[in-house]
Amino acid sequence: MPDTFNAAQIILAQADRLKDKTALIYSDKTMSYGEFAKLVDRAANAFTGLGIVRGARVGLMVMDSPLYCAAFLGLVKAGAVAIPLNPRLPESDYGFILTSAALQLVVSDREHMSVLTKAAAGGSTSILCTSGESKSFERLVAGASGDFAPAPTLRDDPAFWLLSSGTTGRPKAIIHSHGNCAQGGKLLREVIDADESAVVLGTSKLFFTYSLDNAFLGPINIGATTILIECWPEPEQVVEQIERHRPNVVFSVPTFYRRLLNLGAAHLAPLKSVAYFYSAGERLPDAISIAWREALGKEIHSCYGMSETFV
């Protein structure tokens, strides 16, 4: 019999040792590794209480927050399959995704409930709101036990799906295993030798492959700290977060680097404390690279965040 292999258990392996260290910074609050590990276990228990069993597929339409991170890893720890959903897809795509992926459940922020409820009409997918209702996911998690034994999954079992952008038609599901999920943070570890002292900020949302790896699973896997921005960030907000929390690694995209440059060099002074800037999603135009170097004296390094390969 092959050995069991649960990616969430591996990613959180350092939580006991680092229990008092900050894992997440969000809304100018902090959550320690110990607190986050307990939240993951509560989320896993909440899902199993809803009848989510090993192999069940669950969509997450939740903006970046500790609850989203705990839901993702809670599903993986329970042996279910986490499927992050992009809230900016055409409405017609959601019905297709819910049906074709045979989602048992979608956990959604309040603002996306109406479109998902409409998409689920007549189907077998249940929609659960994160907050504000008597049976919200947030309340279920708060009332659940903080201890959960990881499901006895195998290395090749599915841990999460990523959905392609749909540029060649309808979004297509790309299945990633527990073995792949547990490799999060290869760029941080192997390219820039980041360790648990690192503080990371990503401007793209966590349903994108690029940020899922480099701004969530990767930092947690190496015991670092990651900064979550719940809403779709604005340049001024990112500058303020960098000035306040002083990340040494920033992951963004060419379009957002252009928007930051539009603030003017004087407003970008707090970014001079950042050691590494990375870009993905599209080719970094030479004009942006040169203007960034002139404004900050720093390079923007290019990398890839591919749904097909994850890390």
Side-chain angles (χ1 to χ4, degrees):
M1 289 288 292
D3 294 333
T4 59
F5 188 101
N6 187 288
Q9 182 182 23
I10 292 168
I11 289 169
L12 290 168
Q14 302 186 81
D16 285 341
R17 181 175 63 84
L18 301 173
K19 62 181 181 180
D20 295 325
K21 182 183 182 295
T22 297
L24 308 175
I25 297 173
Y26 63 102
S27 302
D28 295 325
K29 301 175 184 177
T30 63
M31 179 173 287
S32 71
Y33 268 87
E35 292 169 330
F36 180 58
K38 288 292 184 184
L39 188 62
V40 170
D41 281 359
R42 289 192 178 94
N45 279 311
F47 281 122
T48 56
L50 290 167
I52 300 302
V53 298
R54 183 173 168 181
R57 300 164 192 163
V58 177
L60 298 174
M61 186 95 93
V62 183
M63 295 304 281
D64 300 357
S65 63
L67 187 65
Y68 167 82
C69 295
F72 186 99
L73 282 179
L75 286 167
V76 175
K77 193 166 186 177
V81 181
I83 305 179
L85 300 176
N86 181 348
R88 292 189 172 180
L89 291 175
E91 288 190 14
S92 60
D93 280 349
Y94 295 118
F96 171 79
I97 291 169
L98 268 55
T99 301
S100 63
L103 295 182
Q104 182 174 333
L105 172 71
V106 177
V107 178
S108 170
D109 287 333
R110 288 186 62 81
E111 65 182 291
H112 305 119
M113 282 292 292
S114 60
V115 66
L116 287 172
T117 301
K118 180 180 177 181
S124 59
T125 304
S126 299
I127 311 298
L128 177 63
C129 191
T130 52
S131 61
E133 298 180 4
S134 59
K135 194 185 176 183
S136 68
F137 183 66
E138 193 172 62
R139 291 192 181 189
L140 293 175
V141 170
S145 168
D147 292 297
F148 186 89
T153 47
L154 304 177
R155 182 183 292 270
D156 290 335
D157 284 350
F160 65 95
W161 290 11
L162 294 174
L163 298 174
S164 67
S165 62
T167 52
T168 57
R170 294 285 200 181
K172 298 174 179 63
I174 300 152
I175 302 171
H176 291 281
S177 67
H178 278 258
N180 197 7
C181 182
Q183 292 296 314
K186 285 177 76 69
L187 186 154
L188 290 167
R189 287 194 310 270
E190 299 176 10
V191 178
I192 62 176
D193 293 322
D195 58 22
E196 61 192 55
S197 67
V199 179
V200 176
L201 182 147
T203 66
S204 299
K205 308 316 293 174
L206 295 180
F207 59 80
F208 289 119
T209 312
Y210 175 45
S211 277
L212 179 64
D213 177 12
N214 295 302
F216 169 31
L217 295 179
I220 297 299
N221 206 12
I222 68 171
T225 298
T226 191
I227 302 166
L228 302 177
I229 301 176
E230 185 170 6
C231 60
W232 292 83
E234 294 296 329
E236 296 86 352
Q237 182 183 16
V238 168
V239 171
E240 187 273 334
Q241 289 292 301
I242 291 173
E243 184 173 24
R244 179 171 299 189
H245 302 299
R246 299 182 67 82
N248 56 327
V249 189
V250 169
F251 294 96
S252 193
V253 294
T255 300
F256 203 87
Y257 282 119
R258 181 184 293 111
R259 294 180 66 196
L260 285 166
L261 285 167
N262 287 340
L263 295 177
H267 288 87
L268 298 181
L271 278 64
K272 292 182 178 181
S273 65
V274 177
Y276 298 98
F277 293 98
Y278 274 90
S279 178
E282 60 181 307
R283 180 185 175 276
L284 180 68
D286 291 343
I288 294 177
S289 180
I290 293 168
W292 195 263
R293 191 182 307 126
E294 291 175 348
L296 293 170
K298 301 286 181 73
E299 298 289 336
I300 300 176
H301 305 281
S302 291
C303 63
Y304 291 94
M306 295 177 65
S307 298
E308 293 78 6
T309 61
F310 184 49
V311 300

